[in-house]
Structure formats: C-alpha cells, structure tokens
Amino acid sequence: MATEPEHDSLEQVADEVRVCTRCELSRSRTHAVPGEGNPKARVMLIGEGPGWHEDQQGKPFVGASGKFLTELIGHAGLQREDVFITNVVKCRPPGNRDPLPDEIEACSIYLDRQVKLIDPDVIVTLGRFSMSRYFPGERISRIHGQAKEIGHRLVVPMYHPAAALHQGALKATIIEDFEKLPRLLADREKAREAAREKGESATQSSMF
Ligand code: SF4
C-alpha cells in the first residue's frame, strides 16, 4: 500500500504514480500522468483524468483542450510554467469514460500529497469531478467562477476546457472566470502582507 514517505517530494509522488497499481485504470493505461509544472506554483489546476493524447505522452492537458487551457492560463496573466497542472485520476479511463468513485478515492492519496507539497494560494478545479472534491453535491453551472476560502487557500470551480470547446456558449464563460484570477491572487498577496505587518508590529510592541 502506498503511504506518504517521511521526506516527500513531487518527484517521489510522480515516481510512485508511474508504477501504481492501486486501481483498475493501471491495466489499460499507456502512461500514467502524474502532473507537471512549477513546484512553487501559486495556482494549481486540477482536471478530471488524462485523455488519449495525455495517456500517449504521459503529460497533462496536451491535446486540443490542453491548447485551450494554455490560452486560458494566458487570460489569467500567467504561463503554463507558472502553474501546476494535474488531475483527480492519473491514468486514463478507457474510452474517456468518467472516472469511478473508487478510482478517484484510490488516486486521492497522490493528489492530497501534491496539494500539500505545492501549497498553492489558489486551486482551480476543472470540471465536476475535481469540483466534487471541494464542493460535494454542488452544480458547476451554479457555482463556476465563485471563489471559496477553504482552509488557508481559495478554491475556484471552473468548467472543464473540453466542455467549453464542445459547447461554444461556455467558451466566453470560462474565459471570464479565468480573467478573475489575477485579482484573486492580488487580494491573497495583500492579505499575506497585512498578516506579515501585523505579525511584525506585534513582535515590535512586545520588545518595548
Ligand atoms: S488512477 Fe491513480 S490510483 Fe489508479 S492506477 Fe493510476 S495512479 Fe494508481
């Protein structure tokens, strides 16, 4: 059974994912897709699972929806190198079917570790399966683009880029949602500075 090592790292998680057999998806995959990006990213994007292109290349979001995701990240004033991108399941469900609850549960050990290691300010969920991790029972059409403070970070549910590619009407919506990210990040930075200043003035006043 995979357990969290004492000195964990993103490389360690990726190495374990590549040889993982914790669920049935290991049988049909070509390559597992651990995720990639900036290990100190302030924004982490969590999709559903690898598709055909991702399974072939072992990289997340490399097909048409990946190209669109790169565009969306640009609408947030960022580049792919600035963020970390992964999925709730790291192996491709056959025929692009939905991942099953027991597969998501089996794979959550890796996503939990990635979130803990990267410790982003903002998590963007892409599609309903990653949304359910933070907003169980909610509907994406009701809550997309609305940031919620969960723990010490913001989680923003968004449509999956593939859905927006297939339904033209959603394209403008998902672009608008990504355009909200710079303000959220700036607010987060301000809150951090305020907390730092408060901490410093508390230290100074305790010196007198
Ligand atoms: S989907 Fe996750 S739990 Fe299942 S085999 Fe792949 S890495 Fe392991």
Side-chain angles (χ1 to χ4, degrees), residues 17 20-23 25-26 29 32 89-91 103 106-107 110:
V17 163
C20 177
T21 54
R22 281 172 62 84
C23 84
L25 297 180
S26 62
R29 73 177 175 222
V89 292
K90 316 296 192 201
C91 302
E103 294 161 352
C107 212
Y110 302 119

Side-chain angles (χ1 to χ4, degrees), residues 30-203:
T30 311
H31 295 106
V33 184
E36 67 181 17
N38 188 334
K40 294 194 165 70
R42 294 185 65 206
V43 179
M44 182 170 179
L45 303 154
I46 307 175
E48 298 188 353
W52 186 86
H53 292 283
E54 291 77 16
D55 175 68
Q56 292 294 307
Q57 298 185 37
K59 290 171 177 287
F61 283 92
V62 287
S65 58
K67 197 165 167 248
F68 183 41
L69 181 64
T70 306
E71 233 179 279
L72 291 169
I73 291 168
H75 281 282
L78 299 166
Q79 297 185 336
R80 267 180 92 115
E81 300 71 47
D82 298 322
V83 302
F84 192 91
I85 307 173
T86 190
N87 287 302
V88 287
V89 292
K90 316 296 192 201
C91 302
R92 182 188 180 222
N96 284 354
R97 67 156 167 77
D98 289 343
L100 301 173
D102 64 321
E103 294 161 352
I104 295 173
E105 173 59 30
C107 212
S108 65
I109 182 174
Y110 302 119
L111 184 54
D112 291 345
R113 285 162 62 191
Q114 288 172 319
V115 171
K116 190 173 163 192
L117 287 160
I118 295 162
D119 194 21
D121 288 334
V122 176
I123 288 178
V124 175
T125 66
L126 300 168
R128 53 201 170 101
F129 292 99
S130 56
M131 176 188 70
S132 302
R133 183 182 153 95
Y134 298 98
F135 305 92
E138 270 293 3
R139 290 207 328 271
I140 186 81
S141 56
R142 209 181 73 78
I143 63 165
H144 71 87
Q146 297 171 32
K148 186 176 171 194
E149 190 143 8
I150 298 181
H152 62 286
R153 58 182 127 252
L154 292 176
V155 182
V156 196
M158 298 207 195
Y159 283 103
H160 195 282
L165 275 183
H166 295 131
Q167 298 175 54
L170 290 184
K171 204 169 170 181
T173 305
I174 194 172
I175 289 173
E176 270 174 35
D177 287 347
F178 265 84
E179 285 173 345
K180 292 175 188 166
L181 286 176
R183 187 183 54 75
L184 293 176
L185 284 166
D187 288 352
R188 223 58 209 161
E189 190 59 39
K190 264 192 224 151
R192 215 201 323 262
E193 267 170 34
R196 210 165 23 230
E197 276 167 21
K198 209 170 152 192
E200 275 169 16
S201 63
T203 311

